[in-house]
Amino acid sequence: MRRFARAQEQRATRQFELESALRHALDARELFLMYQPRVSLQTGVIMQSEALLRWRHPVHGLVSPAEFIPIAEEASLIDTIGAWAMSTACRETGQLQRLARTLPKVAVNVSPQQFVNPRFTAQVEAALERAALAPDQLEIEITESMLLADAGRTVQTLRALRALGIEVAVDDFGTGYSNLGWLASLPLNRLKIDRSFVTKMATDPRSDALVGAIIQMAHALELKVTAEGIETAEQAQRLRELGCDEAQGFWFSRPVSLQALRTLLAPVSRLLADGTRAA
Ligand code: C2E
Ligand code: MG
Ligand code: MG
């Protein structure tokens, strides 16, 4: 009991510490974005990248977003941090597109609290404008649970984003409790199949069947499909056979810095000829 109580206390202390540190993290420039390529399974070309938040805490080192995003949500800091992530992802992608002279789009994760904020669409539009990035170069990733909560406002926001030309993907698909009826009627563009299914595919025929069924269902609803968490050549090959459009995972690339993404996009010879450096 005592050990349990101590572990709980330590967790609470760390959470408290992280919460107060997170309040200053933006001003202290401790937050930054990494980008993970998303690759077309038909052509092998990098079509998009997903912007992933990172926090370098002066004492604790790199803190995972899986740990600090829920803290930011609870402490009502996610609006500010989320808006920063959106602006930064748009600005850096604009720079990248001008430097690399290719058009990898960017996907940005959005928390439920941001999505239900009445100012959200206007904030996104302003971020795109400041970055001189076309709206069709941005995809917003929402989670299944957001499709269930506050349905009226969600639909309104989805329509407003789509009207601007922004694409919307459902992240971690298969882990929440999607109402399949909503899936058919909402103006969505893409499903991202959760890593847990991809991981089990090779050893569990049921997971393989499920992934195949999700891809077919998505295509029937005119949605594109990205599989997450591909770590082996076999998984990539199988997903291609199943008709999956796009893949993201350590097999292709871990999340990398903007500079590293630029090198992945442009042949090195062209970087030499250009003599330009990423800002
Ligand atoms: P997510 O949006 O599902 O992002 C994919 C996560 O899977 C990333 O973890 C990525 O590094 C990891 N991943 C990608 N490929 C592989 C693989 O092959 N194997 C394994 N084991 N993992 C892989 P990360 O960066 O730690 O992010 C965790 C979650 O934090 C994200 O999951 C997302 O829900 C949230 N997050 C990250 N950035 C933001 C943000 O800017 N805003 C919000 N609201 N949430 C964010
Ligand atoms: Mg995501
Ligand atoms: Mg995901």
Side-chain angles (χ1 to χ4, degrees), residues 48 80 91 120 125 129 133 145-146 158 194 196 200:
Q48 322 210 14
T80 317
R91 191 187 68 243
F120 178 69
E125 204 178 0
E129 247 175 58
L133 189 70
S145 55
M146 284 156 72
L158 276 176
D194 190 67
S196 54
K200 282 189 279 183

Side-chain angles (χ1 to χ4, degrees), residues 38 50-52 107-109 141-142 171-172 192 228 248:
R38 284 167 43 175
E50 177 174 7
L52 294 160
V108 181
N109 294 284
E141 295 193 7
I142 61 173
D171 205 355
D172 306 336
K192 292 188 76 182
E228 297 189 275
Q248 176 179 355

Side-chain angles (χ1 to χ4, degrees), residues 207-276:
S207 293
D208 183 271
L210 207 52
V211 169
I214 294 174
I215 294 168
Q216 283 187 20
M217 176 193 70
H219 286 166
L221 295 173
E222 294 181 359
L223 298 168
K224 286 168 279 180
V225 188
T226 301
E228 297 189 275
I230 286 90
E231 293 186 350
T232 67
E234 292 72 31
Q235 288 167 348
Q237 181 54 35
R238 181 65 185 142
L239 285 161
R240 201 176 148 179
E241 280 166 17
L242 290 171
C244 186
D245 304 295
E246 205 184 68
Q248 176 179 355
F250 294 172
W251 173 252
F252 296 102
S253 169
R254 287 183 177 257
V256 296
S257 68
L258 185 74
Q259 278 83 351
L261 178 62
R262 181 179 168 226
T263 316
L264 284 176
L265 288 167
V268 173
S269 58
R270 211 171 71 201
L271 291 179
L272 272 175
D274 273 1
T276 47

